[in-house]
Amino acid sequence: MHICKNMITFAPRNAYLYNNERAMKIKNKRLEAIRLIISSQQLGSQEELMAALHKEGFNMTQATLSRDLKQLKVAKASTLGGNYIYVLPNETMYKRVSTASSIREMMEIPGFLSISFSGNMGVIKTRPGYASAIAFNIDRSESPHILGTIAGDDTIFIVVKEESDNEAVIDSLSKVVPNMK
């Protein structure tokens, strides 16, 4: 509601929904960036983490960062050198990596790397930590060509129905797995 010179106007409901949806997208991108930064750098303080986020274009208050860390269940763990660094919970799909890629580049690269077939079996290679999320999406898609999946950290084993050909499987998977084709 806005009050302007004896006139009261109401913002349309769509404007509120748009702003709320936009805020959620920004927050989700920020949380993704935090996950990627923590999994690729050894940071021990919120100041260091905020500086890394600022470098990637995310500006926030310390209070917002604290809430985000709590939501992500980020903890501190001791290194061999006796320092404490931020770590993600064990169940997360982000494993610590040592890569020279920027966080923005890592956010744009999909988890899928390759797929190979042998008979009615297939093996999908992913970036470290992505296999279980991709396998979950494959299983949820209820593809008529796939009986099921088993996922590790960076590999997915798929069982293909005998009457399905590889092109049909890839076509079906490309609807679920970004950058499959």
Side-chain angles (χ1 to χ4, degrees), residues 13-25:
R13 180 165 166 72
N14 290 345
Y16 170 77
L17 293 175
Y18 171 79
N19 289 333
N20 194 30
E21 184 177 305
R22 186 171 176 267
M24 286 305 296
K25 284 182 181 179

Side-chain angles (χ1 to χ4, degrees), residues 27-164:
K27 180 178 181 180
N28 289 337
K29 283 187 176 196
R30 187 177 69 238
L31 293 174
E32 176 76 2
I34 291 169
R35 287 183 194 103
L36 291 169
I37 289 169
I38 289 173
S39 68
S40 65
Q41 299 176 34
Q42 292 192 358
L43 302 174
S45 71
Q46 287 190 4
E47 292 80 20
E48 292 174 332
L49 184 52
M50 282 182 66
L53 285 162
H54 180 73
K55 234 166 98 173
E56 297 300 327
F58 295 94
N59 297 313
M60 71 194 72
T61 65
Q62 183 273 330
T64 299
L65 179 59
S66 289
R67 285 189 296 272
D68 289 349
L69 293 175
K70 184 176 181 177
Q71 180 179 343
L72 294 172
K73 297 182 174 113
V74 170
K76 280 197 168 181
S78 179
T79 64
L80 293 175
N83 297 324
Y84 285 88
I85 60 168
Y86 287 114
V87 293
L88 294 163
N90 285 337
E91 70 270 8
T92 188
M93 67 179 204
Y94 298 85
K95 305 292 183 204
R96 184 166 300 281
V97 295
S98 55
T99 178
S101 300
S102 75
I103 301 306
R104 192 163 312 282
E105 289 171 329
M106 286 171 39
M107 288 175 74
E108 291 173 359
I109 299 170
F112 170 80
L113 297 176
S114 67
I115 186 167
S116 302
F117 295 97
S118 178
N120 73 325
M121 297 177 289
V123 174
I124 297 174
K125 292 300 212 169
T126 71
R127 289 177 46 210
Y130 278 75
S132 98
I134 291 173
F136 175 80
N137 289 337
I138 292 169
D139 289 336
R140 298 264 313 201
S141 75
E142 298 180 3
S143 168
H145 303 286
I146 298 173
L147 293 171
T149 65
I150 299 173
D153 181 52
D154 62 357
T155 306
I156 304 167
F157 173 75
I158 60 173
V159 178
V160 177
K161 290 185 179 176
E162 288 188 29
E163 63 274 4
S164 297

